[in-house]
Amino acid sequence: MSQLNMSRRGFVKAAAATGALAAFGATAVDGATFREAHADETTSQTKKVYTSCQACICSCAVIATVRDGRVIRLEGNPESPISRGGLCAKGLSGIQALYNPCRNKYPMKRVGERGTNSFERISWDQAIEEIAQKLTQDFFKYGGESLVTSTGGGGNPHFSSPCRFTQALGSPNIFEPGCAQCFLPRMATFSLMYGGSKSGTTSMADSKYGGCSSLYFPEDNPIQTLVMWGTCTSYHAPSGSGRAIAELRAREQGLNMVVVDPRFTPDAAMADVWLPIRPGTDVALMMTWIRYIIENKLYDEDFCKRWTNLPYLIDTDTKKMLRAYEVGLGEADAEDAEKTFVVWDQKTNSAKALPWPYDEALDPAFFGTYEIDGVEYPTAFTLLQERVDEWTLEKGCEVCCLEKDQVEKAIRIYAENAPSGLVLGVATDMSPQSAQGTEGACILEFLLGNVEKPGALLQRFPDPPNKVDLGTMNTLVTGDMLEKRLGYREHKGLGIWSHAHIPTVFKAITTGEPYQPRNWMERSGNKHAMIGNAGQLSEIIDKMEMICHLYMYPTAFTIEAADYVLPTQEWLESYFTIAHANKIIIRQPVVHLYETVNEGVIWSEIAHRCAELGNPFAQKAFDKEYLATLGTDLVYWRGQQEMMDFHMGSLPMSWDELAEMGAYEWISKEDYLTYYTYKTIDPKTGKEKGWNTPSKKVEPYSEGTLMLGRTGEPWASAEGKSYVMPPADEDYDPLIYYLEPEETNLTDTEYPIMLTQGRIPHYHHGTLRNIPYLRELYPVPLVSIHPETAEKYGVEDEQWVWVESRRGKVRGKAHVTAGIAKDAVHMERFWNPEYLDTDTPSKAWTEMNVNILTKTDGRYSPEHGTYTLRGFTVKVYPAPEGAPEGAWINPTDFEPWMPEFSESTEVVFK
Ligand SMILES: Nc1nc2c(c(=O)[nH]1)N[C@H]1C(S)=C(S)[C@@H](COP(=O)(O)OP(=O)(O)OC[C@H]3O[C@@H](n4cnc5c(=O)[nH]c(N)nc54)[C@H](O)[C@@H]3O)O[C@H]1N2
Ligand SMILES: Nc1nc2c(c(=O)[nH]1)N[C@H]1C(S)=C(S)[C@@H](COP(=O)(O)OP(=O)(O)OC[C@H]3O[C@@H](n4cnc5c(=O)[nH]c(N)nc54)[C@H](O)[C@@H]3O)O[C@H]1N2
Ligand code: SF4
Ligand SMILES: [Mo]
């Protein structure tokens, strides 16, 4: 029996008896010994290998130096147009992560009780056989819904791979703790209102799917003003968009900046206006901005008239845009009947069908309600104006706790210094108003005409030729599976990623309703640190018959939950192709340690064995001929080489050739930066192509959102065809609206402070807490609190405090600072791997974990099912007990995690 983790206890034991070290397969050395061992450069073999970092999703290009089979140095590769030679502290920790003594080295099987950290080594054959047997047995006994899969979000190149696996085993349910709380609400809402292609449809300032790609070319970008709304690029993508924005500011003309963030971020420090908003109230502020822009006629009239649906008449019964044929202005059976809309022509004072895209002879009214055949039809602009009417500067400032002159200054900077752009971060994704947060951002950008012109952030640059994403197996999904997908009927935005709703999945597990999931395949770091209201996991884990954890090292989830541990690769062992604007960057294996396997190969091996055992979905997933009849090339690969080849997509070279090059320019910068995509002529119609929305224009009045709730379109599809889902209980609102957070400091006297979070530069989600140099820099979570708030609650700087919500309490260290909104606290996520190999392993996730506090019940976003990670109430008070007992805080505490070098081994599944 062996324990997964080597912490201080293991280290002390090992140091006392050198023999014990052999059990871990290598020798732990410190930096000095390492340097000495490698001092003789002339006799050693050194090579440089192109690869890319995977410690977050930016995938910065890297040149790794390998000497005598060991990675000894990492540096940035300037060939990437996104990272341009930069690497951050997380990326530079790659060597400490690779050679961390706590790596999961071999497949392991639990032999003691769950939660006792007792596992034994098994072979890959045994692991795959036992897991596949159990999954197949339960598939035939209870159906595909006996399996749930979960994955990690940001930084995971295999994001779609677990989804593909779930579908290939006939299960409807996969979930991820980001998803509805991260990126999905932005991606879905931008798609619905702005339409577009894979890249550039979102206004996120990171490299995910090419969001805000124009930012990466500061020298060619005429942008004058940037609003950073609930995002901190300097922390979340330091060498990507963080770098790019710093370079934009450094141009001769500079950059006007507004930052909307409760926390005084490095970008706020450089901004013209910082708006320290009360957490959770963003939509109120957006509506205030929209009202001000309308009232003061700061919008781009020409763009709004020609290219948005604001002048279109709305049928208030159906809530849809009025079609011309519905009021006798066209034929119902005409080819473009569903795409021909009605405006009120001010020249003739009559309703007119508007031919695509526009008719110079007409003068469409923006505002007003008009009668046609006895029925009243308002314009979309009128409905929007009515919605924002109450949001005066006074009211917005009162609700958001901001100063009027600062808000007005911010709006004026944004609206009067074109080209401008608004970057939307994850903050607005983390509350039940996640859809409205993105709607607000879209509406503001549309009003100002910040769309596809040079300097704008909303762009549709060409899609890259590689496989950016490995792809799901939606073609295998049946209508029955769609209807069984937990929480999907209510929250159909989840359809964009084919995901299930986490609270509904958890309810099914604990109650058996509407059915009982039994087996859980999980790949990511630490669900105990990332899932909201993590305390609920204990009951869920108890109900599961088999839990497998695929990861690089043990986490709280491994110890508390795993029956099987499958060791995955660190990024220096792993492979992928990454689209960086106009170039493709490679990630190739630099070394290979122990028996680690690329996650994509693990999934395919298990699915393949399930196919052999008779699972009919899995059989189809490996059947090239069958899949070809459905028009998809998404078959499963076997082994590393096939998977590498799959990544290449339509790139005109082999994997090995790309590996030699490191970076490949597939399109020139000039051809990549293509503007005004909507004005390009569609050869089929000979007219401008517009956008992929119901009206083919950008839609501040979002009919797409309404129809999503009624049918699941555009993302509900089964067996390759679109599928009409039963409607959600209530219509999704096509217009923006504001709701005060359910737990609010405006009325909560028991828990009077709003808690929020934001990234710190040292860690990526739950990862890297076992990297000695990073833990030395940030050993325990800081609880940032304003001096006035601190005084009110008797809190002093550097003091240990309790932060308590209605769900639990955890400890952190007070950081008293004016760089945070009043009556709010900021605490980043944390967990403590040092407890794993002790008698109290659960302390790893219970002592400092902000997700003990977060809220997954009550109100969800109707569209996406988002729960509350930010903007809920807590109280904060001194912890006279001080630091949690056993927590590692001092630099020397982390010594047991110093690198343990190990020779390269053979790849397991070639
Ligand atoms: N309270 C609170 N909770 C949050 C958030 C918050 O702000 N506040 N943020 C939310 C957000 S935005 C997200 S995206 C989620 C993230 O939550 P998770 O997605 O669960 O986070 P990670 O554990 O980091 O999982 C992804 C990790 O997988 C690792 N990984 C990379 N490659 C591989 C591989 O090939 N195989 C395997 N098995 N693993 C690999 C990477 O190190 C990566 O960091 O957390 C959410 N939870
Ligand atoms: N170092 C590091 N980098 C990461 C990650 C990581 O874990 N660590 N995770 C990656 C992932 S998956 C994601 S999604 C991105 C996220 O990257 P960002 O979108 O930048 O996310 P955060 O920093 O979490 O939150 C953005 C800002 O929102 C602020 N904020 C908090 N509450 C509110 C609010 O109510 N309103 C407003 N307007 N602002 C608020 C926070 O203070 C923070 O500065 O980062 C990615 N990069
Ligand atoms: S920003 Fe840092 S962690 Fe992310 S890919 Fe680049 S070097 Fe790695
Ligand atoms: Mo995320």
Side-chain angles (χ1 to χ4, degrees):
M1 201 185 297
S2 69
Q3 289 172 321
L4 280 176
N5 195 26
M6 181 163 145
S7 65
R8 178 195 297 283
R9 200 167 61 174
F11 177 74
V12 171
K13 254 193 284 174
T18 2
L21 279 172
F24 291 90
T27 319
V29 288
D30 62 23
T33 319
F34 172 62
R35 277 191 300 278
E36 208 174 286
H38 291 273
D40 188 0
E41 301 204 4
T42 48
T43 56
S44 47
Q45 293 270 332
T46 304
K47 63 172 179 172
K48 300 229 176 203
V49 184
Y50 293 117
T51 190
S52 66
C53 177
Q54 187 186 301
C56 88
I57 203 158
C58 300
S59 300
C60 297
V62 170
I63 303 170
T65 305
V66 184
R67 189 181 297 156
D68 297 335
R70 292 170 178 184
V71 188
I72 56 158
R73 180 180 158 85
L74 302 175
E75 62 201 298
N77 180 356
E79 281 300 308
S80 157
I82 286 190
S83 57
R84 295 195 176 182
L87 290 184
C88 79
K90 304 188 297 302
L92 290 167
S93 302
I95 295 177
Q96 291 197 355
L98 176 74
Y99 296 117
N100 198 285
C102 308
R103 288 290 302 273
N104 288 334
K105 297 167 183 165
Y106 311 101
M108 307 280 267
K109 181 180 178 177
R110 181 170 61 79
V111 288
E113 290 290 303
R114 275 186 186 145
T116 60
N117 194 4
S118 9
F119 294 86
E120 68 178 14
R121 181 178 169 183
I122 57 172
S123 69
W124 270 107
D125 281 350
Q126 184 186 343
I128 286 167
E129 184 63 24
E130 288 182 12
I131 294 165
Q133 287 282 359
K134 170 78 173 137
L135 295 178
T136 313
Q137 211 175 315
D138 287 357
F139 175 86
F140 285 114
K141 217 158 144 190
Y142 306 110
E145 57 270 29
S146 53
L147 166 70
V148 296
T149 311
S150 60
T151 180
N156 173 10
H158 278 280
F159 188 74
S160 56
S161 198
C163 182
R164 149 196 288 253
F165 172 83
T166 314
Q167 296 171 342
L169 291 198
S171 161
N173 294 315
I174 170 155
F175 67 86
E176 190 256 306
C179 194
Q181 289 67 233
C182 167
F183 196 38
L184 179 138
R186 272 173 294 171
M187 192 182 197
T189 310
F190 272 107
S191 297
L192 292 169
M193 297 175 77
Y194 169 63
S197 63
K198 236 186 309 174
S199 43
T201 45
T202 65
S203 208
M204 297 175 71
D206 62 16
S207 65
K208 281 178 192 170
Y209 306 98
C212 296
S213 322
S214 58
L215 282 179
Y216 297 109
F217 300 95
E219 60 283 4
D220 299 290
N221 193 335
I223 187 168
Q224 278 208 56
T225 307
L226 192 65
V227 177
M228 296 180 67
W229 200 306
T231 188
C232 177
T233 52
S234 310
Y235 288 166
H236 90 227
S239 31
S241 50
R243 168 206 59 84
I245 292 170
E247 281 176 24
L248 281 169
R249 278 194 300 256
R251 293 172 310 176
E252 216 174 289
Q253 70 266 43
L255 181 70
N256 306 304
M257 274 187 56
V258 172
V259 171
V260 184
D261 196 312
R263 169 171 75 148
F264 192 61
T265 61
D267 294 291
M270 304 303 287
D272 299 276
V273 181
W274 169 47
L275 299 179
I277 189 169
R278 184 168 66 95
T281 63
D282 294 273
V283 181
L285 188 62
M286 287 168 170
M287 292 176 82
T288 305
W289 284 38
I290 294 168
R291 184 189 192 277
Y292 188 94
I293 286 169
I294 298 175
E295 189 188 15
N296 293 284
K297 292 205 165 44
L298 297 173
Y299 50 90
D300 179 338
E301 253 187 69
D302 193 60
F303 182 82
C304 289
K305 209 157 253 191
R306 288 162 195 273
W307 296 109
T308 73
N309 69 350
L310 286 169
Y312 290 180
L313 298 184
I314 303 296
D315 180 337
T316 49
D317 273 350
T318 62
K319 302 184 197 168
K320 294 172 70 174
M321 293 173 283
L322 184 65
R323 267 60 177 184
Y325 73 84
E326 293 173 317
V327 286
L329 293 172
E331 300 302 324
D333 53 6
E335 208 189 315
D336 58 353
E338 283 304 320
K339 301 268 179 211
T340 307
F341 304 91
V342 184
V343 295
W344 191 262
D345 177 31
Q346 299 179 112
K347 279 189 194 154
T348 58
N349 208 20
S350 64
K352 287 277 159 66
L354 188 77
W356 177 260
Y358 194 72
D359 185 349
E360 299 299 336
L362 302 180
D363 180 17
F366 270 146
F367 299 102
T369 298
Y370 302 96
E371 195 195 299
I372 310 175
D373 301 333
V375 182
E376 300 273 325
Y377 299 98
T379 65
F381 217 158
T382 304
L383 293 175
L384 177 63
Q385 191 185 31
E386 283 172 4
R387 275 292 165 91
V388 299
D389 192 46
E390 64 179 304
W391 291 99
T392 58
L393 278 180
E394 289 72 18
K395 175 152 181 191
C397 291
E398 194 190 313
V399 168
C400 304
C401 292
L402 294 169
E403 286 169 25
K404 201 176 135 193
D405 60 326
Q406 291 296 299
V407 173
E408 186 167 14
K409 185 175 165 194
I411 307 173
R412 291 254 168 212
I413 290 176
Y414 172 52
E416 291 176 345
N417 296 282
S420 60
L422 189 154
V423 176
L424 189 64
V426 87
T428 48
D429 286 347
M430 295 202 170
S431 87
Q433 286 233 289
S434 57
Q436 289 68 42
T438 307
E439 286 168 11
C442 281
I443 294 169
L444 287 166
E445 290 281 85
F446 299 164
L447 283 174
L448 297 188
N450 287 338
V451 183
E452 299 183 9
K453 61 186 182 194
L457 302 179
L458 289 173
Q459 298 286 355
R460 289 177 290 169
F461 297 148
D463 286 335
N466 68 326
K467 284 248 188 288
V468 173
D469 170 314
L470 297 178
T472 57
M473 288 217 153
N474 273 326
T475 44
L476 296 179
V477 173
T478 62
D480 178 55
M481 277 159 78
L482 281 188
E483 298 206 18
K484 279 187 176 152
R485 182 174 293 153
L486 294 164
Y488 175 47
R489 186 178 65 84
E490 273 311 299
H491 310 296
K492 293 201 185 70
L494 292 165
I496 192 171
W497 291 348
S498 315
H499 272 226
H501 182 229
I502 297 175
T504 314
V505 172
F506 286 177
K507 196 162 147 239
I509 293 172
T510 52
T511 64
E513 294 300 331
Y515 51 77
Q516 181 69 56
R518 291 159 197 277
N519 303 310
W520 182 0
M521 302 288 297
E522 143 65 7
R523 65 66 66 225
S524 77
N526 190 357
K527 284 286 172 277
H528 282 81
M530 293 306 129
I531 283 273
N533 187 17
Q536 65 184 322
L537 281 175
S538 306
E539 192 187 347
I540 286 154
I541 288 162
D542 282 350
K543 292 269 182 180
M544 301 309 285
E545 292 173 17
M546 179 180 75
I547 303 177
C548 303
H549 190 202
L550 288 68
Y551 203 52
M552 291 92 76
Y553 41 82
T555 69
F557 182 85
T558 324
I559 309 298
E560 299 282 355
D563 302 311
Y564 292 93
V565 182
L566 304 179
T568 56
Q569 296 176 329
E570 265 298 330
W571 61 267
L572 283 158
E573 304 171 273
S574 169
Y575 42 92
F576 215 72
T577 59
I578 297 118
H580 268 191
N582 64 325
K583 290 190 185 171
I584 304 296
I585 306 296
I586 198 155
R587 173 176 306 130
Q588 64 174 310
V590 179
V591 290
H592 177 262
L593 304 187
Y594 315 108
E595 287 186 5
T596 62
V597 174
N598 190 291
E599 153 184 18
V601 171
I602 303 178
W603 294 121
S604 88
E605 287 305 305
I606 298 172
H608 188 259
R609 186 66 190 128
C610 291
E612 288 178 341
L613 293 171
N615 182 312
F617 287 91
Q619 286 172 343
K620 284 182 191 163
F622 284 91
D623 186 341
K624 287 190 179 140
E625 278 170 33
Y626 168 76
L627 289 170
T629 65
L630 299 173
T632 170
D633 65 340
L634 287 176
V635 290
Y636 250 129
W637 49 80
R638 295 292 306 283
Q640 172 160 318
Q641 189 59 50
E642 251 185 65
M643 205 182 131
M644 285 175 173
D645 295 342
F646 185 81
H647 282 308
M648 299 297 288
S650 58
L651 283 169
M653 76 248 323
S654 69
W655 174 275
D656 289 344
E657 284 161 351
L658 183 62
E660 273 294 299
M661 299 160 76
Y664 166 64
E665 184 178 290
W666 57 276
I667 191 170
S668 70
K669 188 175 77 175
E670 292 67 33
D671 288 338
Y672 180 71
L673 297 172
T674 46
Y675 300 104
Y676 301 109
T677 309
Y678 61 96
K679 289 187 185 169
T680 51
I681 300 299
D682 180 347
K684 274 191 248 140
T685 59
K687 296 193 171 162
E688 290 89 337
K689 75 179 206 188
W691 292 269
N692 193 14
T693 59
S695 64
K696 288 173 51 181
K697 297 200 172 173
V698 297
E699 298 198 348
Y701 182 93
S702 182
E703 188 177 289
T705 301
L706 176 78
M707 295 315 290
L708 172 72
R710 291 184 182 173
T711 66
E713 74 186 41
W715 301 305
S717 85
E719 295 169 284
K721 297 187 201 77
S722 70
Y723 183 86
V724 180
M725 278 292 289
D729 283 348
E730 280 185 34
D731 266 343
Y732 302 165
D733 200 322
L735 274 172
I736 189 167
Y737 61 91
Y738 175 70
L739 292 174
E740 178 66 19
E742 264 183 313
E743 286 185 3
T744 162
N745 65 333
L746 295 183
T747 50
D748 198 335
T749 46
E750 197 183 349
Y751 298 90
I753 299 175
M754 292 300 258
L755 183 130
T756 196
Q757 303 131 56
R759 305 292 178 246
I760 47 171
H762 317 75
Y763 305 115
H764 187 251
H765 301 301
T767 64
L768 305 176
R769 298 301 187 294
N770 56 0
I771 299 299
Y773 290 2
L774 293 180
R775 272 294 291 276
E776 187 175 335
L777 291 171
Y778 196 93
V780 295
L782 298 180
V783 178
S784 300
I785 185 165
H786 193 274
E788 286 175 27
T789 317
E791 201 187 331
K792 232 195 287 185
Y793 301 105
V795 167
E796 283 170 22
D797 195 28
E798 302 250 325
Q799 182 181 36
W800 278 90
V801 290
W802 287 105
V803 183
E804 181 175 339
S805 81
R806 289 192 166 76
R807 280 127 331 251
K809 59 177 192 173
V810 294
R811 260 175 286 185
K813 211 170 182 187
H815 172 51
V816 178
T817 167
I820 176 83
K822 290 177 195 166
D823 296 316
V825 287
H826 180 283
M827 180 179 190
E828 194 10 52
R829 297 157 296 164
F830 211 87
W831 70 283
N832 304 74
E834 61 267 31
Y835 287 113
L836 291 185
D837 189 19
T838 67
D839 299 329
T840 51
S842 62
K843 282 187 166 198
W845 64 280
T846 53
E847 292 294 327
M848 305 184 187
N849 176 8
V850 85
N851 270 318
I852 295 279
L853 312 175
T854 49
K855 174 171 155 56
T856 57
D857 60 0
R859 191 196 293 156
Y860 305 121
S861 126
E863 300 82 0
H864 313 301
T866 310
Y867 53 69
T868 307
L869 290 178
R870 298 187 183 177
F872 59 89
T873 55
V874 295
K875 56 183 164 189
V876 179
Y877 48 94
E881 310 86 326
E885 201 189 332
W888 291 2
I889 296 170
N890 299 314
T892 48
D893 291 344
F894 307 111
E895 206 178 331
W897 290 336
M898 288 299 283
E900 172 189 88
F901 293 107
S902 174
E903 300 305 329
S904 245
T905 52
E906 285 282 298
V907 170
V908 184
F909 298 99
K910 292 201 180 80

